[in-house]
Amino acid sequence: MIGRLNHVAIAVPDLAAAADQYRGTLGAQVGPVLDQPDHGVRVVFIDLPNTKIELLAVMGDASPIQGFLDKNPSGGIHHICYEVVDILAARDRLLASGARVLGGGVPKIGAHGKPVLFLHPKDFTGTLIELEQV
Ligand code: CO
């Protein structure tokens, strides 16, 4: 069911500093800052030859990554995103298997303008999983 690894997301306390580090120190192709008010985050995508890195920073007062950054003040890997062809079929299969799909199982439009869903980390070996329909 899952396809390519679309991205690995890293929560960061300082988006500009993290983007500068990827651009300068690591020599990566760093994209523009994208505000995602519906998701409570501000993101920067880094294009790698085989996948992307998503740097995530808090936006607003009720950001879903605030708790993660409180526990990991220097940042850390927040989620991984797998591609799926049909997100509703994927959701139905996961629900039938007993997995918890966050947000009531209703896909939101993600940073790439495509539908996304998140799966409960306790159901997947401690890893928050994002599914993106491509
Ligand atoms: Co993501």
Side-chain angles (χ1 to χ4, degrees), residues 53-124:
I53 302 295
E54 178 184 49
L55 301 177
L56 282 175
V58 165
M59 182 175 187
D61 294 331
S63 177
I65 67 165
Q66 186 64 62
F68 181 91
L69 281 168
D70 289 344
K71 280 182 235 150
N72 304 277
S74 54
I77 293 178
H78 182 264
H79 66 267
I80 56 178
C81 177
Y82 299 122
E83 297 179 354
V84 295
V85 172
D86 181 337
I87 202 160
L88 296 178
R91 174 198 63 191
D92 292 345
R93 174 175 166 154
L94 287 155
L95 289 172
S97 77
R100 285 167 285 182
V101 180
L102 304 182
V106 179
K108 277 192 176 183
I109 298 303
H112 307 112
K114 295 176 176 161
V116 301
L117 281 173
F118 286 89
L119 310 179
H120 200 296
K122 289 201 171 136
D123 295 336
F124 292 95

